[in-house]
Amino acid sequence: MTNDPYVSRRSAKLATMVRQDPVVYSTWSERSPLTLEQVTSYERDGFLVLKGIFSPDEVAGLRTEAARLEAGSQELEAETTITEPGSGAIRSVFRIHKQNSVFARLVADARLSKVAEFLLGDDVYIHQSRLNLKQGFHGEDFYWHSDFETWHVEDGMPRMRALSMSVLLTENTPLNGPTMFIPGSHKIYVSCVGETPDDHYKQSLKKQEYGVPDEESLSQLAKDGIAMPTGPAGTVVIFECNTMHGSNSNITPYPRWNGFFVFNAVSNKLRAPFGPAKPRPEIIAARSAVETIVPVAGPLFQAAA
Ligand code: 6CS
Ligand code: FE
């Protein structure tokens, strides 16, 4: 009998269970990198929107770098680029913090990393990074899911002590498929049905079909509403690893490019997957190359000499 409190994809029976882990692992003080109101809001809702933490020049620099990558100006590790099942347009570029110096600097930035350290109550490292380039006309949806359910079952992430920071690289409007969150859903774990297929990630990163919550559970979670944060490039949306989220397809001409950077507590490093025996590759889940982040203060881009 497994003593895994977050069993999923093990039976044909659906189940939901109460979260067994704290949401915020530190006690707030005047020295915390967030206000008490922000911490309270994040603990209650499972996500938090930060606007205006980067200067217009920094935002422009991030946007330019994303456009360079999208235009294919940088050679990327082949298997890190995921295309849309329909059009073949680029859907995601994984492990971007290891392939590109601008995003390597971004994840270390104190304005992000120190917030992650506070919320996770530990030193942190990047479990996964990706640019999700939801292109105009061709950007397809990301169906509802809990990231933790996948990272627990397929990557062996022991506990809910991780969070994602989504840095908007183009404006997210109600029209071009922003990420939607179900407030409070992080406090309920939805155990999914179905056996994880071998090499599931080759399919799931294009369109996830296992580890997908059932409609009854989703309807129950969403009974008090769904939130859809929008904002200009440079907005940061922090969301807890178990917050139910998803996004619609983008049939507008306006690209929705977002960077996603997953901070995991170093005390929560990956073990053997709690589902399939074979761990997912390093490009999706850092397992051997785990480097504790050293927060870096100052502007993202050094002023030209
Ligand atoms: O499987 C994963 O790790 C990825 N899948 C989704 C839909 N969100 C988290 C992550 O990018
Ligand atoms: Fe996700």
Side-chain angles (χ1 to χ4, degrees):
M1 172 64 187
T2 170
N3 60 358
D4 175 6
Y6 297 124
V7 169
S8 186
R9 303 188 221 174
R10 287 250 186 203
S11 83
K13 201 167 70 60
L14 303 170
T16 57
M17 52 202 85
V18 174
R19 175 193 185 100
Q20 309 279 313
D21 293 297
V23 175
V24 177
Y25 284 81
S26 299
T27 304
W28 185 83
S29 77
E30 297 290 340
R31 290 186 313 284
S32 298
L34 294 172
T35 66
L36 179 58
E37 187 203 4
Q38 286 174 318
V39 175
T40 306
S41 162
Y42 175 80
E43 199 286 336
R44 179 192 65 230
D45 297 338
F47 68 93
L48 177 68
V49 181
L50 302 179
K51 290 192 174 176
I53 63 173
F54 296 113
S55 72
D57 284 351
E58 289 177 313
V59 174
L62 291 171
R63 175 90 165 76
T64 302
E65 194 64 16
R68 269 191 66 247
L69 292 165
E70 193 272 339
S73 309
Q74 176 180 333
E75 187 74 25
L76 295 165
E77 293 164 35
E79 69 277 24
T80 61
T81 300
I82 309 292
T83 54
E84 296 288 5
S87 64
I90 296 183
R91 175 178 172 92
S92 302
V93 180
F94 276 81
R95 208 167 183 252
I96 196 63
H97 73 295
K98 285 289 184 194
Q99 300 191 73
N100 179 280
S101 59
V102 168
F103 292 105
R105 171 66 183 78
L106 179 62
V107 298
D109 196 86
R111 290 165 284 186
L112 302 182
S113 55
K114 289 190 93 55
V115 170
E117 288 178 340
F118 170 77
L119 292 173
L120 302 176
D122 200 348
D123 287 341
V124 295
Y125 73 93
I126 298 296
H127 160 69
Q128 178 185 105
S129 71
R130 66 198 182 277
L131 293 185
N132 276 356
L133 301 173
K134 189 178 284 200
Q135 308 284 23
F137 301 114
H138 302 297
E140 295 180 36
D141 66 77
F142 288 81
Y143 192 71
W144 293 109
H145 63 282
S146 152
D147 290 339
F148 177 76
E149 193 275 344
T150 291
W151 297 339
H152 183 70
V153 169
E154 299 194 51
D155 297 334
M157 183 181 281
R159 306 303 291 228
M160 295 179 183
R161 195 167 185 173
L163 58 83
S164 292
M165 292 198 184
S166 172
V167 179
L168 310 191
L169 300 168
T170 60
E171 184 182 15
N172 279 218
T173 78
L175 305 173
N176 63 350
T179 309
M180 301 179 286
F181 301 93
I182 301 180
S185 57
H186 60 307
K187 298 197 172 174
I188 298 292
Y189 181 68
V190 179
S191 183
C192 301
V193 298
E195 194 76 14
T196 310
D198 290 345
D199 290 339
H200 177 223
Y201 68 94
K202 289 180 179 167
Q203 165 54 27
S204 71
L205 298 182
K206 285 176 175 285
K207 192 166 189 53
Q208 188 167 353
E209 290 173 357
Y210 291 87
V212 171
D214 63 285
E215 293 177 3
E216 170 60 30
S217 301
L218 286 169
S219 303
Q220 185 56 28
L221 285 175
K223 69 184 185 314
D224 296 328
I226 292 172
M228 186 178 72
T230 56
T235 301
V236 178
V237 182
I238 306 174
F239 58 104
E240 212 274 338
C241 62
N242 188 47
T243 304
M244 197 63 74
H245 63 286
S247 59
N248 289 318
S249 61
N250 180 15
I251 59 170
T252 73
Y254 320 123
R256 192 230 68 178
W257 298 346
N258 290 351
F260 288 81
F261 307 98
V262 183
F263 293 84
N264 190 22
V266 295
S267 55
N268 197 39
K269 279 182 191 141
L270 304 188
R271 299 185 195 153
F274 288 80
K278 197 168 121 192
R280 298 200 300 176
E282 193 75 29
I283 57 168
I284 299 177
R287 186 174 292 278
S288 54
V290 169
E291 292 165 37
T292 302
I293 285 184
V294 178
V296 176
L300 288 177
F301 304 97
Q302 292 310 321

